[in-house]
Each structure stands twice: as C-alpha cells, then as structure tokens.
Amino acid sequence: MAMKMAPRHRSMRKWQLFPGRNKFYCNGYLITAPNSSIFYLTVVLITGTSGLFFAFDCPFLAERITLGIPIIGGILYTFTMCALLRTSFSDPGIIPRASQDEAAYIEKQIEVPNALNSPTYRPPPRTKEVLVRGQTVKLKYCFTCKIFRPPRASHCSLCDNCVDRFDHHCPWVGNCVGRRNYRFFYMFIVSLAFLAVFVFACALTHLVLLQTETRDILDVIRMSPFSVVVSAICFLSVWSVIGLAGFHTYLTSSDQTTNEDIKGSFSSKGGQSSTNPYSRGNICLNCFYILCGPLQPSLIDRRGIVTEEYRQQMQTDDKINGMPTPPMVVQPIGGNANNDPSKVYNHINVEIPPSTSDNHMQGLYRQRSYDNLQNDKSSSSVSHLVENELPLASVVVPSTSTIDKRIRVSQSSIRDAQMPRDLNEIVSEDEHRKSMTGSYNNLLVADQPVKVNEEKTSQDVSQNVYSNIPPTSPSVPIILKNAAADHVYSNIDETIKAANGYMSDNLDLDLDDPLLTSSFIKKKEKINNNSNNHQNIYNTSSTDSSQPVNKSILPSVSSSSSTTGTQITSIELKNVLNVAIQKSNHAPVEEKPSNVPATLRQNTMIDTALDLDSLDGSSIGNNSQVGLVSNKTAIV
Amino acid sequence: MTQTPLQPNYMKVFIQRDYTEGTSVQFQTRFPTELESRIDRVSFERTIKKVNEYFIEAEKGNCSTFCEGFCACFSAYLIYLFTETHYEKCLRKVSAYIAMQNELVYNPAGLNITDPVLRGLRVIEISIDRPLNRT
C-alpha cells in the first residue's frame, strides 16, 4: 500500500491540491481565474483589430509615408499582448490559506478573552486593529482562508482567494489584479491606449489620403472597408481605455488601489480625514515602487511537490470544510459550506445587496463573495464582513453592451427579497448596537430569541419609517410566532410550505419566500389596503422584464459576460417570480396599473447610484433605508 | 513509511506579521511566552531581527532593483522567464539563514522554525518538541 502510494505523491504538485477556484495550465506554470471567456474576447478584439490594421492599412501607409508605421505598430502590439498574457497568467499575489494548525492557533487566540465574559455566549470578534504608520487599520478575518487579511488584501470571491494589495478582479484580463501583477496590468492598459490611438490615427490617415485622391467618400469606403471598421472599433474603445489608463496613473502615483479608491478608504470621512499610510509621499517614488520595484515571488508555490505533511494539512482542512457542523468555533458564524455548490446557489440569490447586480459580472461577483458566509443566512448584514470585496469589474468594463432582460427580473426580485432582510438588519442593529462592537453586530441574530425580533419588528412597523413594506411587515410577525426554532428565515420557509403548500419546488430560496408567500397569506386574509402594494411590486417585476432599460442611468451590462452562476440565479429567480406573477394574476384583487412601479424603478436606480458611491457595509444599509423611505412617500 | 493518521500533538507558535511600518514583510519581535523555558529572549529576537533585515533588503528600492524593474518592463517582462529576481535571492538567503539557525540554536532546544515562505510570508511557525526526522 505504502509502496504504491509513494510514487503518486512524489509526482503530485501543489497546484493540484490548490483550494481556490483558479485554473492552472502547463503543469502549474500558468495560473488564471476560473472564468476566462471575456479574456478570450479581449484577445480576439485586440488581435483582430490589429490584424486588420496590419493587413489592409499598413502596406498602403508603409508605401506612402514611412516604413516606421508597421514597425511601431508591431512593437506596440507585441508589448500589449505580452503584458496582457503576463497579467492573465501570473499569480496576482494570492495569500495561501492558513494551515490547520495556524487556523487553530488563531482561533485559540480569539476565543480566550471571549470565553470569560459568558453568561450569554458571543462569537469572537472577527476584526483586529493594527497600527500602520500611526493609523488604525482594521484587519478582517477571512473565514475561507482562516487568516486575518493583511492590510490592503481582500478576498476575491470569483477566485476564492485572498489577494494581497487587491485592486480588482478584471474579467477582461481574466484574472485578479493584485500586488504581483498590477504592474503588468498597468503597462497593458497604457500600451493598449497607445496602440488604440496609434491604430486609429493610422487608419484615419489612410482614409483621408484615399479621400484626397478619389474625392468621393463612398469610393473610399468601397476601396478600403476594413479601415473604416478598424477606425470605428478604435474610436469606440479608445475613450474607455484612455480613461482607465488615466485613472490608474492617478492611483499609481498616489499608491492606492481601485478597491480603496472606490471605498473611499483614504478620503475624509465624517470630518475625520485619513491619509494613505502606504504612500511614500512622493509621486515619482510611488510610481517607481509600484511599477519597477522589487517583485515578490509567488507565495503559493504551485509547482512544489506535495509532501506528506502538506497533504495532511490540506486534507484535514477539506474534511472540515465538507462537514455540516464542523467543530470549530468559527463554524456557527461564518461557514465553510463553499464546497457544496448546490447549496451555494440556493442562498446566493437572496444575499446580493439590492443595488449591486448591475451587470452580469458584478452580480456574479457579489454573489460569490457571500459563499463563505452563507451559513449565517439568518443574520442579514453579511455585507459588513465582506465589505472589502467590492465588485470592481464595472470599472474596467467599457460600455459596449446590451442589457439582458433577465437581469432586470432578478434585480427586482432580489430587491423585493431584500426588504425583509433590511428590516431585520435594522432591528438587529438596534438591538445590538450598544452591546456589540465593530463589524459583527448582526451575527448574533440567530442566537437571539425570536420574540425580540418579533416585538421589534412590529414596533418599527408601526413607526413611519419602515411601514412601506406592507407585503412583509404585518405578516412577518405572524409567521415568527409560529416559528419554534431560532432560525428565522428557514422557519418561515417551513411554516409556509406546511400551511399553504405554495411553490413547494421553488421554495428553495430562503429569503424570497417570506416576501412572496407572506403576501399570498395576506391576500387570503383579504387585507385590502395592502394588497394594492403587492400588486405594485409584482407589476414592477413584470413590467421591468418587458421594458427597455434606461441606459443613461444604469451602468452598462456586458453582453458577453453571461456566466453560469448568474444564469442559474436568474433562472431560479425567474421561476419564483413567474409563479408569483401568475398567482397575483389569479388573485381576486384587481390590478391597477399606476405610477408606483415607475417610482419604484426610479428608486432602484437611485439606489444603484448611491451604492456605487458608498460601498461601506453600513452605508449599504442606509441606502436601502433611503430607498424604503422614498418608496413610502411614493406609495402612501 | 509510518503514516500518522492524525497530526501529532506537538505545540506550534506562530509569530505574526508586524504592520507598523506598512505592508512590507516584517515579523513581530515580541517574545512568545510559550518559548520561555526553551530559549533565551536574546537569541530569539536576534533571529527575528535578522530575518526582518533580509526582508527589508528584499523590498528596498535602490538603483539595482529599479534597473531590474526597468529592464523587465522594456523586455515586456520576458526577462522574468530567465533570471532570478532580487527578491528571490533574498528569500533564498532567508531560507539558508533559518536552516542554519535551526541547526545551531533551535533544534538543540527542541524547537524548529519553518521557513516563512512555506507559510506564505504570513507567519513564522515555530514547532515545539517536534520530531526532527519530519520535514
């Protein structure tokens, strides 16, 4: 046995046991993100356009003007492609996950002070504050990697890794952009900007020269149609590329990451300004260090041979990950269920913050970021924990796209589903604000007796602020009374299934159910003043799916960015919604087309805009409050 | 070929990163209490400080490292395929230094330091009473 095992172990490389979702090629030499379809699009776009340019414009220009044009074009193209491939296929700076011993050590250190003050058990705080050059920086615990993330690191949920100096996950290059490949990425952007401008100028020159000879534009187009195509592509893409290059030049010179810039980590917040502690204080020095400084080697040692010890640590880790109720203290709070994809998709749908699923990539990105926390589905503000993990795909996405209707459906349904969550979040924040510190306020919701929630809920509903959630707020307490165990939403699920027998197949979505089905309950009870509002919400979702989307407000959606995860999500949500719409059509209450759907939709958009501006965990909650308040004024 | 089914029950101490000077790789020199009976504070701090010095050298930006960066950039980063970077050289120095320290100081005291590179430069792992024949 041992004799047989030994040679297999010896030939095993570490990348074959790598816990993240990255893909490896060439026996571990190349590493890239799991979904690289858009990367191929990038390659095809650049190569295709340049190919047309070299084939149809260059001979003419080399003959008429100078031989330098194809040479410069060739150099630029080669450089761009080298930088692109380098960005895509190198390790962005993945921080290896903690070994089992290290994770246990961290656990032990967190646990000890908390076990002392325990009449009521509290989960240990999952942030740690450190001083970086005189500034307090909060380190968050990563439940997946089982480490306190170093400053500036963030967990990329697409790749399922913590990445050092995380900039963003760029679907166009098919990889995360982090500490190790930021310089490649920057050079790619800059050289691509030069290439695009150069090709555009040359193709235009070609057309102008032809036009002076023939004096007829139609003839010119007939003579060299590809020049027109090339200049059109370049004209469309050059703006976003130049803008991006400028943006990253600014970031580089001030030593910020896109992540930090979007979160506004170093902007003055609440009168208290915080400067960037990582900057070297000098623009040139920052650029030098980031673009030409020493390059840290890859830390994941993907081509290393798997030793027995390494395997042991990894395997025990896997075992723990797969277990339904793992023994560690972490488990009740934020889980390790990310190994179970079927489970993941059920919860993904509802855990997206309302206004972030603007496009496919972004939506997907958000969803994944909650994987590791989904055990905590009863407490709603998971966003607090993962506020580092920002969807930055949209920054890199040029706006050449069409909008998929399904996204709209899923957006509105997600929004609807979010309402009870927000309510609960607010309640639980109120509940725990005094007793808890930092980011983990809401983790305790599951531990609290349900009664508290119930009382609070009905109280808050009677106040003005949250009373615009007619479908849920009156009915949620009713359901909560029936709930025996402490898991709020799943209980609702069960109760409703038992009581009404609605949608028994589709009811996998924990948080969609309370809203949708509770509104059915209400219809049964014939409380008519609220039922109009239900109708309106259904109207919103159904009209949204059939109306063209206002492009000027919504950020662009990449047409080709459809990924399996999002598809599943939207399909599932669609199913639920279809059922919901059917039910509402059969309902006795007459549907009144009104202005309310429009206002709801507007709020959706305002929310979207707001959320992009302020991506703090706390402000996400605020935004939804804003949305709710304005909803209320519109409806009432 | 004796395969232990479970992790043997020896203790490990983890020296965490020190971020006070930014995100460059530095380790805390605070002496862990678990080691008190094993090794004297001075030699422990000397080891950690030496390791920190190596990392300062690795991440320092001077003429040669900037030249290396420029060359790499102008060669469209193809140079990285063939040469060993300054940082990698420094990491090898760290590994060599730790191996030496293990042999001279730590192994006789029943301790063993794991190369921080193997732990992703997150921690320095010191195992207590670890069987020496395991790698």
Side-chain angles (χ1 to χ4, degrees):
Chain A
M1 175 72 181
M3 292 291 282
K4 271 188 183 176
M5 295 286 280
R8 197 169 64 87
H9 288 185
R10 209 176 296 140
S11 61
M12 195 95 162
R13 304 265 185 184
K14 283 182 184 168
W15 65 266
Q16 288 166 297
L17 291 178
F18 187 71
R21 289 204 199 92
N22 294 76
K23 282 192 294 191
F24 296 87
Y25 300 107
C26 300
N27 200 11
Y29 277 113
L30 306 180
I31 176 174
T32 188
N35 203 331
S36 45
S37 50
I38 304 185
F39 163 67
Y40 296 125
L41 178 73
T42 316
V43 172
V44 167
L45 261 182
I46 296 174
T47 309
T49 313
S50 306
L52 288 179
F53 168 71
F54 287 125
F56 295 101
D57 292 324
C58 275
F60 178 87
L61 292 170
E63 191 185 315
R64 290 296 179 86
I65 301 175
T66 166
L67 200 64
I69 286 179
I71 293 176
I72 295 175
I75 291 174
L76 272 176
Y77 172 74
T78 316
F79 191 89
T80 307
M81 285 310 286
C82 279
L84 172 63
L85 294 177
R86 188 86 208 184
T87 316
S88 307
F89 292 114
S90 58
D91 169 19
I94 294 170
I95 302 170
R97 299 187 180 182
S99 64
Q100 207 201 349
D101 292 332
E102 189 186 334
Y105 187 79
I106 293 176
E107 279 306 318
K108 206 176 68 186
Q109 290 204 324
I110 301 170
E111 192 190 358
V112 168
N114 280 277
L116 298 177
N117 54 359
S118 59
T120 54
Y121 170 73
R122 276 192 194 139
R126 294 288 158 174
T127 55
K128 186 164 92 176
E129 292 197 338
V130 294
L131 216 60
V132 178
R133 290 194 185 146
Q135 276 200 32
T136 326
V137 174
K138 202 179 270 182
L139 304 187
K140 297 197 180 70
Y141 184 79
C142 179
F143 290 102
T144 309
C145 305
K146 305 219 174 53
I147 54 170
F148 279 100
R149 291 182 200 126
R152 316 192 91 178
S154 184
H155 191 88
C156 172
S157 42
L158 274 180
C159 308
D160 210 16
N161 287 310
C162 277
V163 177
D164 200 8
R165 200 180 180 279
F166 181 73
D167 197 87
H168 64 291
H169 182 97
C170 180
W172 295 93
V173 303
N175 205 352
C176 285
V177 178
R179 176 179 185 165
R180 287 195 72 251
N181 65 353
Y182 184 78
R183 61 185 67 189
F184 311 139
F185 177 75
Y186 180 77
M187 293 317 291
F188 165 64
I189 292 291
V190 170
S191 59
L192 183 62
F194 277 106
L195 179 70
V197 169
F198 180 80
V199 169
F200 179 60
C202 289
L204 217 59
T205 313
H206 186 188
L207 291 176
V208 169
L209 283 179
L210 282 181
Q211 211 253 333
T212 49
E213 284 170 10
T214 61
R215 294 173 184 281
D216 185 7
I217 293 180
L218 282 180
D219 273 347
V220 171
I221 294 175
R222 209 172 297 129
M223 281 171 73
S224 84
F226 289 110
S227 299
V228 180
V229 173
V230 165
S231 40
I233 293 176
C234 289
F235 181 78
L236 290 178
S237 59
V238 79
W239 306 111
S240 49
V241 173
I242 286 180
L244 202 61
F247 176 63
H248 277 283
T249 307
Y250 154 71
L251 289 181
T252 308
S253 57
S254 59
D255 198 348
Q256 291 183 59
T257 65
T258 310
N259 197 4
E260 290 158 351
D261 184 76
I262 289 202
K263 273 166 62 189
S265 303
F266 308 129
S267 60
S268 53
K269 214 189 300 180
Q272 168 201 5
S273 67
S274 60
T275 53
N276 183 354
Y278 313 109
S279 167
R280 288 172 172 79
N282 181 341
I283 291 176
C284 294
L285 222 53
N286 281 340
C287 289
F288 272 134
Y289 264 98
I290 292 172
L291 301 178
C292 301
L295 181 68
Q296 193 175 53
S298 178
L299 295 175
I300 51 179
D301 187 27
R302 45 192 192 267
R303 283 185 45 78
I305 307 288
V306 173
T307 62
E308 193 56 43
E309 188 200 0
Y310 182 81
R311 172 180 289 271
Q312 216 168 32
Q313 291 273 344
M314 298 300 300
Q315 280 179 340
T316 42
D317 261 7
D318 286 348
K319 252 179 244 160
I320 288 173
N321 280 346
M323 280 201 308
T325 51
M328 281 186 148
V329 194
V330 209
Q331 304 316 327
I333 309 150
N336 288 303
N338 48 348
N339 279 356
D340 185 358
S342 63
K343 212 175 157 194
V344 166
Y345 286 119
N346 286 342
H347 304 304
I348 282 168
N349 306 339
V350 290
E351 293 193 335
I352 307 166
S355 39
T356 48
S357 50
D358 301 317
N359 64 29
H360 258 120
M361 286 316 293
Q362 215 170 345
L364 179 76
Y365 194 84
R366 272 288 177 168
Q367 290 158 10
R368 306 307 305 173
S369 72
Y370 294 99
D371 283 359
N372 48 348
L373 292 153
Q374 49 159 316
N375 284 5
D376 185 34
K377 50 192 179 252
S378 63
S379 82
S380 46
S381 72
V382 190
S383 53
H384 284 303
L385 291 172
V386 280
E387 62 188 39
N388 264 357
E389 297 155 16
L390 295 174
L392 301 169
S394 61
V395 178
V396 202
V397 178
S399 53
T400 56
S401 48
T402 57
I403 291 173
D404 194 341
K405 284 176 187 171
R406 278 178 314 174
I407 305 172
R408 299 292 304 164
V409 178
S410 56
Q411 262 186 14
S412 50
S413 59
I414 287 161
R415 174 165 309 278
D416 295 346
Q418 184 72 18
M419 285 181 179
R421 295 176 57 78
D422 286 338
L423 186 69
N424 198 18
E425 176 175 352
I426 293 152
V427 169
S428 58
E429 275 186 6
D430 280 345
E431 181 68 21
H432 300 296
R433 187 167 293 143
K434 283 171 193 167
S435 56
M436 296 288 292
T437 56
S439 314
Y440 299 101
N441 281 352
N442 309 306
L443 290 176
L444 282 185
V445 179
D447 296 335
Q448 297 298 317
V450 180
K451 259 190 180 174
V452 177
N453 269 342
E454 177 191 335
E455 286 168 12
K456 278 281 186 176
T457 311
S458 42
Q459 263 183 19
D460 280 348
V461 165
S462 64
Q463 287 166 7
N464 52 355
V465 181
Y466 306 113
S467 60
N468 66 327
I469 322 171
T472 57
S473 44
S475 48
V476 162
I478 296 170
I479 295 158
L480 286 179
K481 270 174 198 161
N482 294 334
D486 55 0
H487 198 294
V488 179
Y489 286 119
S490 61
N491 288 335
I492 292 171
D493 190 2
E494 295 299 319
T495 319
I496 289 169
K497 266 187 203 172
N500 300 327
Y502 274 120
M503 301 189 290
S504 55
D505 286 332
N506 286 326
L507 273 178
D508 289 330
L509 311 171
D510 282 4
L511 290 168
D512 279 354
D513 305 334
L515 181 74
L516 296 174
T517 45
S518 62
S519 53
F520 300 147
I521 297 174
K522 285 199 54 58
K523 268 170 209 146
K524 278 190 165 181
E525 292 169 349
K526 297 190 179 175
I527 302 173
N528 285 325
N529 25 343
N530 282 330
S531 49
N532 272 344
N533 291 331
H534 305 183
Q535 296 298 338
N536 290 337
I537 283 175
Y538 294 135
N539 284 347
T540 316
S541 46
S542 51
T543 48
D544 272 350
S545 62
S546 57
Q547 278 190 358
V549 176
N550 190 347
K551 282 188 183 178
S552 64
I553 298 176
L554 274 178
S556 63
V557 176
S558 160
S559 61
S560 57
S561 62
S562 66
T563 44
T564 52
T566 322
Q567 276 175 351
I568 292 170
T569 309
S570 45
I571 289 168
E572 281 183 6
L573 285 167
K574 210 178 173 184
N575 284 340
V576 174
L577 265 174
N578 281 342
V579 178
I581 291 163
Q582 283 170 13
K583 297 281 183 194
S584 63
N585 285 341
H586 292 313
V589 185
E590 233 187 276
E591 283 192 50
K592 282 188 215 163
S594 68
N595 290 332
V596 183
T599 52
L600 275 176
R601 208 163 44 244
Q602 274 183 355
N603 285 327
T604 309
M605 288 157 180
I606 292 165
D607 236 8
T608 312
L610 275 176
D611 197 53
L612 282 176
D613 287 337
S614 51
L615 283 157
D616 271 354
S618 54
S619 58
I620 286 175
N622 290 340
N623 285 344
S624 46
Q625 283 180 37
V626 170
L628 295 179
V629 172
S630 47
N631 265 354
K632 188 229 167 195
T633 51
I635 291 171
V636 174
Chain B
M1 276 283 158
T2 52
Q3 284 199 359
T4 44
L6 279 174
Q7 201 71 18
N9 204 9
Y10 53 82
M11 244 172 72
K12 283 180 179 175
V13 177
F14 294 88
I15 313 296
Q16 302 291 330
R17 284 271 295 273
D18 180 7
Y19 295 112
T20 45
E21 289 304 312
T23 49
S24 56
V25 179
Q26 294 288 295
F27 293 97
Q28 292 175 358
T29 50
R30 198 163 49 84
F31 187 67
T33 50
E34 290 94 334
L35 300 182
E36 243 158 25
S37 58
R38 306 270 176 177
I39 194 170
D40 63 314
R41 192 175 289 257
V42 179
S43 50
F44 170 79
E45 280 178 3
R46 196 180 55 225
T47 310
I48 302 292
K49 274 182 183 157
K50 188 71 183 167
V51 170
N52 282 347
E53 272 172 31
Y54 280 123
F55 279 109
I56 287 174
E57 187 195 335
E59 304 200 345
K60 191 174 56 183
N62 55 17
C63 252
S64 71
T65 51
F66 282 147
C67 280
E68 193 180 285
F70 272 123
C71 290
C73 182
F74 280 114
S75 70
Y77 300 108
L78 295 174
I79 201 175
Y80 283 144
L81 299 177
F82 310 111
T83 59
E84 191 182 37
T85 60
H86 171 71
Y87 207 121
E88 284 165 340
K89 284 174 198 159
C90 290
L91 283 183
R92 281 208 311 205
K93 279 189 213 166
V94 171
S95 301
Y97 176 74
I98 283 182
M100 190 191 75
Q101 286 289 301
N102 267 337
E103 204 172 307
L104 294 181
V105 184
Y106 289 87
N107 286 353
L111 305 173
N112 190 50
I113 303 181
T114 309
D115 189 350
V117 175
L118 298 179
R119 296 287 174 262
L121 302 184
R122 270 180 287 108
V123 287
I124 297 181
E125 179 182 311
I126 303 178
S127 338
I128 301 173
D129 284 340
R130 185 186 203 191
L132 287 179
N133 53 1
R134 293 170 58 92
T135 49

